[in-house]
Amino acid sequence: MNTIEKLRNVAIIAHVDHGKTTLVDAMLRQSGIFRANQQVDDRVMDNNDLEKERGITILSKNTSLMYGDTRINIVDTPGHADFGGEVERVLKMVDGVLILVDAFEGCMPQTRFVLKKALGLNLCPIIVVNKIDRPNARPYEVVDEVLELFLELEATDDQFNAPVIYASGRDGYATIAPETPTSDMKALFDAIVEHVPAPKGEIDGPLQMLVSNIEFDEYVGTMAVGRVERGTMNVGQNAVICKKDGSTSNIRLVKMYEYEGLSRVECQQASVGDIVLVSGVADVHIGETICAPDCIDPLPFINIDEPTLSMNFSVNDSPFAGQDGQYVTSRHLRDRLFKEVNTNVSLRVEETDSADCFKVSGRGELHLSILIETMRRQGYEFQVSKPQVINKVIDGKMMEPMELLVVDVPDEYVGAVIEKLSERKGQMLNMNAGSNGFTRIEYNIPSRSLIGYRSQLLTDTRGNGIMNHILNGYEEYKGDIATRSRGSLIAFETGEAVSYGLYNSQERGSLFIGPGVEVYEGMVVGETSRSEDIVVNVCKKKHVTNTRAAGSDDALRLVTPISMSLENCIEFLGDDELLEITPNNLRIRKKILDKTLRAKAKSKA
C-alpha cells in the first residue's frame, strides 16, 4: 500500500448560503492560480447562468491548487437540501471534508445531512466557522453546536477531536482564534495539509477508477470524472467499464485531463488519488467503474437517498401549443429526460401508460424546478402537473416522508406561523429565542404540507420569514391536509385581455395578467378571494354607443398584476390544473379547458 504524500483531496460541505463558494474564491486567489491583472468574478465556481442568477450552487464542481509543493484537489458542493445527491456522489472522491458553518446561524438542517454522510464514510472533518466578521457572530457557541451534532451522529473519537478554523471568506483570512484575525488563508491550508490524510493505494496494482461525475465538452465529447483508486492510468490505455447491471464494455482512454484552478489541463498519466477527466467513454454513467481488462473489479457506489416528490411531465396540448418551443414532441421530451438521469443521480424518470407523459421524481420542489427552468431555456415546450409526495408501504402501513423544518421568524409573527404549521399537521420540536428579535422554531412536518407553504410564510411574516428543511425519515400517514384555501380565476374565452374586462374581473380576486396578454378558455388568469373557482371574461370590451354620461368614461384603474415566478406557479397549482412551460411563457391552466366538461367531471367525482 503506497501513500501519496504530496496530494490532498477535500470537499467543502455546508448548509446553503454559509459561504462555501466565497471561501473557495479566497483560497484560489491566494494560491496564485490567477494572474495579477486577471479579471475574476465573485463566486467564480458558480459558472452557469442559473447559479449566478439565484446565488446558489446547484452542481458539484472540482478545482485544484498548489500550496507549497502539495496539490490540493477541492470539490465545491451545493448547500441546498434538494441537491443532496450532488454532495453524496462526490464524497467518494475525497479523504477529508471542511464542515463549513455560519458564525451567526449555526447548525442548520443541511449541516446535519452532509455531516452524517461524511462521518458514515469515515472521512476526516475540519470544522470551519465562517463569516466571523458578521455582526452578532457567536463563533464559540457555534463550535459547541457542531460538537453536539458530532455526538448525536456518533462520531468516532478522532472525528470528534477535529481541528477548528475560524474564517472570513469575504475578507480572505483564516485564523485559529477569532479574536486575532490574520491577513491570509494560511491557517486553513496548514490544517488541510496536516489533518486530511494523504491518499493510499496500490500504485503497481491493476487500474480501478470510480466514475463520480460526467462532464461534456463540445470538442472532446463525454468525459468521465473520478478518482483513481488503484493502479496507474495512461493515455491510449485499453480498459473496461463495469456497468451497474453487471455487464462490461471495452474502451480506450483517448485523452486525460486534470484540474488546475478553473481550467482543465491535458496530462498523460494519473496515479492513485488523482482526480481526473477521461475521454473516450461515450457510454459511461455515474457510479460505474473503469477497470483494467485483466482485473474486472467494480467498486461499490455510495447509496443515494431516494426521491420524495414527483411530477408528471407531458407534451403541451394547450390551444397555444407549438408557438414558442423548438422541441415539442414526446420523443424530444423523452430523450431529454432520460439524458438528465445520466448526470443527475438523485432524479428518477419513469414511463407511464401514456406515451406523451413521464413521471419525474426528485428531492424537492427546487430540484424539479431547476430541471424545468433548464429545459425551458434550452427550447423545450411541455406541461407539468402539481407535485405529489412519494409514499411508501412499510409493514402494511402507509408511510409518508417527513421533513425537519427550521423557521427563523420575527417575534411578532411567531403566533401566525405556529397556527399555520399546526393546521398542516406539523409537530413542534423546539423553539429558541434568537438575537435581533428573531425566534427559531423547529418542526417535524409532512413533506406534502410544505408544498406551497413558502409563499404563505412570506405573507404571514411580511417577507421576513426564512425556512429551511430536509428529509427526516418516514412516518405513518397523517391524514388529509388542506393546503390551498383560494380558488382560481379562469378565462371564459380565447382572445386578448383588455382593460375593461380586467377591471371588472379584479373585483373577484388578484390577477396574474395585464392588458394585451393572449389567453384561452380554461386558462387561469388569477386567484379568487374565495375557495371556489370563478370564470371571468377578461376579453370583454366596453359596449360602444353614441351616448356619453358624466364620469362614465373616466380612466379605468387596474391593480398591478401579481408577477408569478416558476416556483410560485408550481406552488399555486391545484389537483385539476397544469402548468404550461414554454421558452417565453408560463401559463397555469385547467386540465379540462371547457367549462361544461369541467362541471360534468366535478359532478361525477
Side-chain angles (χ1 to χ4, degrees):
M1 188 73 71
N2 306 95
T3 302
I4 316 302
E5 293 293 347
K6 298 302 180 182
L7 180 63
R8 299 292 185 275
N9 295 321
V10 64
I12 301 184
I13 57 178
H15 187 77
V16 65
D17 203 30
H18 278 198
K20 297 178 299 302
T21 308
T22 305
L23 188 75
V24 174
D25 280 1
M27 295 173 72
L28 289 173
R29 284 189 170 92
Q30 294 186 26
S31 67
I33 288 292
F34 306 124
R35 301 190 312 272
N37 63 342
Q38 186 172 347
Q39 294 295 317
V40 182
D41 295 334
D42 290 334
R43 296 187 299 108
V44 69
M45 295 290 286
D46 289 346
N47 53 16
N48 72 46
D49 292 340
L50 276 176
E51 289 179 322
K52 290 177 180 177
E53 289 173 18
R54 294 171 182 252
I56 60 173
T57 302
I58 295 171
L59 303 172
S60 292
K61 302 177 192 68
N62 297 70
T63 186
S64 172
L65 56 85
M66 295 297 296
Y67 179 64
D69 58 353
T70 302
R71 172 184 287 273
I72 301 176
N73 288 319
I74 301 172
V75 185
D76 183 24
T77 64
H80 199 285
D82 283 17
F83 307 112
E86 291 287 317
V87 183
E88 291 168 286
R89 66 176 172 77
V90 300
L91 290 181
K92 294 285 279 186
M93 287 197 292
V94 299
D95 303 294
V97 289
L98 305 184
I99 308 291
L100 203 69
V101 188
D102 190 295
F104 173 70
E105 292 186 357
C107 291
M108 298 292 280
Q110 181 73 351
T111 312
R112 172 187 293 272
F113 170 79
V114 295
L115 182 56
K116 182 179 179 180
K117 294 288 182 183
L119 296 180
L121 291 170
N122 201 31
L123 298 177
C124 173
I126 297 175
I127 301 170
V128 181
V129 181
N130 194 30
K131 303 186 182 183
I132 59 173
D133 54 324
R134 281 188 68 169
N136 302 309
R138 47 188 188 93
Y140 292 119
E141 293 177 41
V142 168
V143 171
D144 291 340
E145 290 179 16
V146 177
L147 294 178
E148 287 176 12
L149 194 55
F150 272 69
L151 289 174
E152 285 183 39
L153 299 176
E154 300 178 350
T156 65
D157 291 344
D158 289 340
Q159 291 171 332
F160 184 79
N161 293 320
V164 180
I165 301 294
Y166 303 90
S168 169
R170 187 192 65 177
D171 293 341
Y173 69 84
T175 177
I176 56 174
E179 299 86 4
T180 55
T182 60
S183 58
D184 54 36
M185 306 293 292
K186 184 176 184 298
L188 180 57
F189 287 130
D190 288 341
I192 292 173
V193 173
E194 181 180 350
H195 295 283
V196 174
K200 294 181 180 180
E202 301 174 31
I203 294 179
D204 299 326
L207 172 64
Q208 190 182 48
M209 182 185 112
L210 180 67
V211 178
S212 298
N213 199 2
I214 300 289
E215 289 195 14
F216 184 80
D217 186 277
E218 59 185 22
Y219 299 108
V220 179
T222 302
M223 294 186 290
V225 183
R227 163 177 158 157
V228 180
E229 299 290 343
R230 187 178 65 200
T232 302
M233 179 178 282
N234 296 286
V235 172
Q237 179 178 348
N238 292 322
V240 170
I241 298 177
C242 301
K243 303 286 187 180
K244 294 179 181 179
D245 59 5
S247 63
T248 61
S249 63
N250 296 320
I251 59 169
R252 185 172 179 270
L253 308 179
V254 178
K255 285 191 176 182
M256 195 159 55
Y257 302 85
E258 60 184 8
Y259 292 99
E260 189 174 292
L262 305 180
S263 306
R264 296 193 295 255
V265 179
E266 197 167 341
C267 62
Q268 299 299 313
Q269 188 180 72
S271 186
V272 171
D274 287 331
I275 296 176
V276 292
L277 305 94
V278 182
S279 67
V281 288
D283 188 29
V284 69
H285 300 93
I286 292 172
E288 297 175 346
T289 306
I290 297 176
C291 298
D294 55 348
C295 183
I296 297 176
D297 183 17
L299 287 161
F301 191 56
I302 189 170
N303 183 36
I304 302 292
D305 287 349
E306 295 180 3
T308 58
L309 207 64
S310 68
M311 299 174 76
N312 287 332
F313 284 50
S314 56
V315 173
N316 185 16
D317 61 359
S318 82
F320 293 168
Q323 294 184 1
D324 290 348
Q326 182 181 357
Y327 307 107
V328 298
T329 66
S330 59
R331 180 178 62 82
H332 288 135
L333 184 61
R334 183 186 188 282
D335 291 347
R336 177 63 181 84
L337 290 174
F338 279 98
K339 180 182 177 183
E340 183 71 20
V341 175
N342 292 336
T343 55
N344 199 334
V345 292
S346 51
L347 194 77
R348 302 284 184 275
V349 179
E350 304 167 52
E351 301 201 42
T352 64
D353 296 337
S354 169
D356 295 338
C357 182
F358 305 89
K359 181 181 178 182
V360 181
S361 305
R363 285 287 184 86
E365 282 182 85
L366 184 60
H367 186 201
L368 294 173
S369 70
I370 290 293
L371 170 62
I372 292 170
E373 181 65 29
T374 302
M375 291 175 61
R376 179 190 180 197
R377 295 186 182 201
Q378 291 171 350
Y380 287 85
E381 183 176 315
F382 54 100
Q383 55 192 15
V384 299
S385 67
K386 178 183 177 180
Q388 302 288 339
V389 296
I390 301 172
N391 296 325
K392 291 182 176 180
V393 177
I394 303 175
D395 297 330
K397 295 181 180 179
M398 177 66 76
M399 310 290 277
E400 66 173 325
M402 303 293 291
E403 302 276 338
L404 174 63
L405 172 68
V406 177
V407 183
D408 291 301
V409 56
D411 294 342
E412 61 266 33
Y413 303 122
V414 168
V417 171
I418 291 176
E419 179 184 352
K420 291 293 193 309
L421 290 175
S422 299
E423 291 174 357
R424 292 170 178 252
K425 307 288 176 113
Q427 177 186 2
M428 187 187 293
L429 303 176
N430 199 5
M431 183 167 73
N432 294 314
S435 56
N436 290 344
F438 273 74
T439 297
R440 175 168 292 181
I441 315 172
E442 294 182 17
Y443 268 87
N444 186 41
I445 189 168
S447 297
R448 59 196 165 103
S449 300
L450 298 181
I451 298 174
Y453 177 66
R454 191 178 299 273
S455 57
Q456 179 70 60
L457 174 69
L458 294 175
T459 301
D460 291 341
T461 61
R462 305 296 187 269
N464 292 304
I466 301 171
M467 63 178 276
N468 294 283
H469 55 90
I470 195 165
L471 184 66
N472 196 31
Y474 286 77
E475 292 184 11
E476 195 167 346
Y477 189 73
K478 304 292 183 183
D480 294 337
I481 299 173
T483 55
R484 179 171 157 185
S485 58
R486 296 188 175 185
S488 302
L489 291 176
I490 306 166
F492 171 72
E493 63 181 353
T494 301
E496 183 180 302
V498 296
S499 297
Y500 186 75
L502 292 170
Y503 179 77
N504 291 315
S505 301
Q506 68 185 10
E507 299 172 357
R508 307 292 185 92
S510 305
L511 294 170
F512 299 158
I513 64 169
V517 175
E518 294 286 338
V519 300
Y520 52 80
E521 181 186 2
M523 177 176 158
V524 175
V525 295
E527 180 184 45
T528 69
S529 52
R530 293 183 288 182
S531 58
E532 68 271 10
D533 295 339
I534 299 175
V535 177
V536 293
N537 190 357
V538 293
C539 304
K540 183 180 179 181
K541 297 180 180 179
K542 186 175 180 180
H543 186 59
V544 179
T545 68
N546 290 330
T547 308
R548 295 290 181 268
S552 64
D553 292 323
D554 289 347
L556 302 177
R557 296 185 180 273
L558 294 178
V559 178
T560 304
I562 298 173
S563 178
M564 296 286 281
S565 67
L566 175 59
E567 282 79 12
N568 293 146
C569 291
I570 292 173
E571 288 181 356
F572 181 82
L573 282 178
D575 293 327
D576 63 338
E577 293 172 346
L578 297 170
L579 175 59
E580 180 185 350
I581 313 283
T582 77
N584 301 315
N585 294 287
L586 297 171
R587 302 185 187 99
I588 302 172
R589 50 159 289 189
K590 290 294 180 181
K591 289 181 180 177
I592 303 173
L593 298 178
D594 185 86
K595 178 185 176 182
T596 307
L597 296 179
R598 271 201 314 274
K600 287 181 180 179
K602 188 175 181 181
S603 63
K604 286 181 182 179

